[in-house]
Amino acid sequence: MTMTQFTEVKLLATRFHKVTVRELINYIAQAAKLDKKTVVSNVNVRAINFACELPWYRDFLNDSDLVFCDGFGVLLGAKLQGCSLESSHRMTCPDYIEDLALACQKQDVSLFILAGKPGVADKAIAKLTAIAPNLRVQGHHGYFDKSGAENDAVIDKINNFKPGVLYVGFGMPLQERWITDNMEKIEARVFLPLGACLDFYTDTVYRGPRWMTDYGLEWLSRLVTEPGRLWERYLVGNLLFFYRVLTDYSRKLINKS
C-alpha cells in the first residue's frame, strides 16, 4: 500500500506537513493496517520551542512519518516566512477524535488510549463507544512510572491488545521521550502522541468557548483559567517563538542579499 505524500513545510529546522483533518484521519487508518510502525506527530508553538532546545526532540519530529500542525502560532510563523498555508491545515485533537474513532470502527482498526489521570481514559472510552459502539478500544491512565516494572506491566497490557493505533497523552516532551525509549518493544502500528487531548475531550480541563478555539485563542482561555501554571508556557513561550521566527527570517534575507 502506498501512503499519500504531503507537502513538507520547514520552520526553524523542524518539519511538518500540509494536511487536512480528513487526510490525517485517512492516513492514520491506512497506516494502522500496514505491517510496520508509523509515528504521527504534531507541532504547536511549544513543540517548536522544544525542538529548538532539545536536539533529540527535533529529531523525533523530523523522523516522524507525518507531522500535522496543531497551533495557529505555527501557521502564522510559517506564513511570515513565505509558506502558503490555510486554516484548514491546522487541527486540534478534541475536534476530530470522534471522527477518528468512527474511521477506526469502519475499518476495524483497534485503538489503545494511554493518557490522563486515573478515570480520564475510561471516561473518554465511554464517550467514544457511545458514538462508535463497535470500536475495539482499551485504555490505561498515564500516571505510572515510565521505567521499571510498572512501565513493563503497561507495555504488556498494550501488547496483549496489539492496537492498530496507540494514543499517548503525557504532554510534551515526556510522551515523545517515552515513545522513543519504548517503541521497539511495543506491539502497535501507529504511535500518536496527542498531549492533553483527552482532558479537553472529557471536560476534565476547560478549553474555553468554541469561538476562541476556532480562532486560535485557546491558549488565552487556558492562561486565564490557570495563570500560575501556564503564564511562562504561553506568555514567555509565544514571545520566544516569534522572536526566533523573525530572527531566522531576517538572517535568511541578509544571506540572500
Side-chain angles (χ1 to χ4, degrees), residues 3-9 15-28 30 40-43 65-71 75 84-92 96 192:
M3 302 303 288
T4 304
Q5 298 298 309
F6 301 104
T7 301
E8 188 175 292
V9 178
R15 69 193 253 282
F16 65 97
H17 298 91
K18 290 175 66 173
V19 58
T20 64
V21 171
R22 184 180 297 276
E23 290 169 337
L24 173 66
I25 290 172
N26 288 341
Y27 183 94
I28 293 170
Q30 290 178 49
V40 177
S41 299
N42 68 90
V43 290
D65 297 274
L66 183 71
V67 184
F68 65 92
C69 177
D70 181 18
L75 282 189
S84 175
L85 292 162
E86 306 295 335
S87 59
S88 61
H89 295 130
R90 176 260 182 184
M91 61 218 69
T92 185
Y96 70 78
L192 193 62

Side-chain angles (χ1 to χ4, degrees), residues 38-200:
T38 297
V39 177
V40 177
S41 299
N42 68 90
V43 290
N44 54 24
V45 166
R46 192 167 187 238
I48 297 292
N49 280 338
F50 276 133
C52 290
E53 298 158 9
L54 303 171
W56 73 263
Y57 187 83
R58 182 176 61 247
D59 290 343
F60 180 91
L61 294 176
N62 288 339
D63 292 340
S64 295
D65 297 274
L66 183 71
V67 184
F68 65 92
C69 177
D70 181 18
F72 274 108
V74 172
L75 282 189
L76 180 56
K79 286 181 178 180
L80 289 173
Q81 297 212 353
C83 299
S84 175
L85 292 162
E86 306 295 335
S87 59
S88 61
H89 295 130
R90 176 260 182 184
M91 61 218 69
T92 185
C93 173
D95 296 331
Y96 70 78
I97 190 170
E98 290 187 349
D99 288 334
L100 176 61
L102 288 168
C104 287
Q105 174 182 255
K106 183 177 181 179
Q107 300 197 40
D108 194 30
V109 170
S110 56
L111 172 65
F112 194 101
I113 294 172
L114 183 63
K117 295 179 180 179
V120 171
D122 294 334
K123 189 175 180 180
I125 288 172
K127 287 189 69 174
L128 293 174
T129 52
I131 59 103
N134 295 318
L135 176 68
R136 292 188 293 122
V137 58
Q138 286 188 16
H140 191 281
H141 65 80
Y143 281 64
F144 61 93
D145 190 344
K146 304 304 186 294
S147 63
E150 193 173 2
N151 189 63
D152 292 340
V154 170
I155 292 174
D156 285 343
K157 183 176 180 179
I158 296 168
N159 289 347
N160 287 334
F161 187 57
K162 294 181 174 59
V165 178
L166 173 61
Y167 160 45
V168 183
F170 305 153
M172 300 172 177
L174 179 58
Q175 60 198 10
E176 289 82 7
R177 183 74 259 172
W178 186 83
I179 291 172
T180 299
D181 293 342
N182 295 280
M183 187 164 66
E184 288 303 314
K185 53 189 175 183
I186 296 175
E187 296 182 45
R189 291 185 172 176
V190 178
F191 292 77
L192 193 62
L194 286 176
C197 169
L198 289 194
D199 289 330
F200 300 131

